[in-house]
Amino acid sequence: MAISINERIIQPRPSSIVAALYTLRDLDTDVAILHGPSGCCFKHSRLLEEDGMRVVTTAMCDSDYVFGGHDILVEVLEKVMDRFNPKTVGIVGTCASMIIGENFHRAVEEVNPGIPVIEVEIHAGFGDNTYGASVTLEAAHAVGLIDERELERQKEMLRLATELEKKFGAASKDYIEPSRGDLKYKVCGRLLELMGQGKKGISVLNAKKETAYMFADVNLAVSQAAKALGAPEPVTIANLDPNIGLPRIRRYASTITSQMADKGVGIDAITGGLDEYSITGERAADIIKEKYGDHDYVVLSGVPHAIPYDAIKGMEIFSITNGPRQVEPIRNIGHQHVTVEIDLHPKTLGVTGMVESEFGATLRSMLEDKR
């Protein structure tokens, strides 16, 4: 169905192809074959290799666009089997291979590799990047890698995440000016001032998958600062349930919880898993309204706009996001302080534990100055 120009988001948006690649990573796929030009999704492909998944391409060129890329897909799949001896392989479409109607399954049948091959027929011409993740999950289900219940749960989370972005996030307008947000030393200074006055706070982690490796450091630093100043320790609420999601996602939650505990910070309330950020904000809001509505400030890291404003509107709100195009929508909701962790994604790929955030580093540095 054609989309009118008034309905289109004209700023650059995440691609369904990239979403498919990240979902293959979450499924612990050994090798992803991108059936398209070698430069397609180059940056993300390279970064995902640092996370343990090999990414190769069929390096389609202009003659393949005319005569088809079936033979090179067969050759690359055979080469992948010989060179890497994988247990699972994903084949991901691109605009080039999908426009000319490549048939992945025919190539898989010809090679007959004897392992699950996740065939993801996707291109970048979908308005919502989460479509790429849904198609990948369906393909993984088709070869028996995830069961029906988990497939439907994941698809529902993706639907709600898309809805959240369209209501309150970077897809809420056709064009949003990117912004680096407020200066961190000013925001951290105000937070320390509140702590110095003995104000009571809440610290909420509502993060998406591997981004939690850095966003959790924000919540860690907030608790450490309060302790250092002798202020009331903030209540910590987090979507770090280690029993929800694909195995890789569960490992993230378990690792972060353990590392925070090692540094003396416990989690007061768990709102759900790291792939449930679109609904765990509402759970955090319910907890806040029920128990902590009289608190003075709240620090929100990850996806701050998922926490309904009516639960925190009387507090001073500090939001830490990683999207320059999230700043304006979050300010419009009513959050007083908004900062951005630039380049968070590259810094949280290929790591096995928490990574220091700029916000956390700034807060710790300012604490040192006070001593």
Side-chain angles (χ1 to χ4, degrees), residues 107-254:
V108 174
E109 284 185 322
E110 192 169 326
V111 176
N112 190 21
I115 61 169
V117 178
I118 307 166
E119 301 167 26
V120 189
E121 297 190 359
I122 197 74
H123 56 74
F126 296 96
D128 299 324
N129 68 312
T130 48
Y131 184 76
S134 289
V135 171
T136 306
L137 292 163
E138 287 172 354
H141 172 62
V143 293
L145 292 177
I146 60 172
D147 61 28
E148 182 76 25
R149 183 176 177 181
E150 179 64 13
L151 171 65
E152 293 305 319
R153 189 190 71 82
Q154 294 262 354
K155 287 172 66 175
E156 178 63 5
M157 290 303 106
L158 290 166
R159 186 188 69 78
L160 292 171
T162 302
E163 192 174 286
L164 176 68
E165 287 309 304
K166 289 182 177 178
K167 280 185 178 177
F168 304 114
S172 58
K173 290 172 62 178
D174 64 343
Y175 184 82
I176 298 173
E177 193 78 33
S179 167
R180 296 295 179 100
D182 298 311
L183 292 174
K184 292 183 179 66
Y185 85 91
K186 287 190 174 180
V187 174
C188 290
R190 175 58 182 162
L191 184 58
L192 293 174
E193 187 178 314
L194 291 173
M195 289 178 177
Q197 294 170 359
K199 302 292 186 183
K200 294 187 296 184
I202 306 167
S203 179
V204 181
L205 171 71
N206 192 60
K208 177 183 178 181
K209 300 183 180 180
E210 72 274 9
T211 66
Y213 273 145
M214 183 176 285
F215 281 126
D217 179 67
V218 170
N219 307 91
L220 175 65
V222 169
S223 286
Q224 290 173 329
K227 281 183 183 177
L229 293 175
E233 187 168 354
V235 174
T236 300
I237 300 171
N239 62 329
L240 287 173
D241 191 329
N243 301 308
I244 294 177
L246 299 175
R248 176 182 284 264
I249 307 307
R250 297 181 186 205
R251 291 199 296 271
Y252 297 160
S254 180

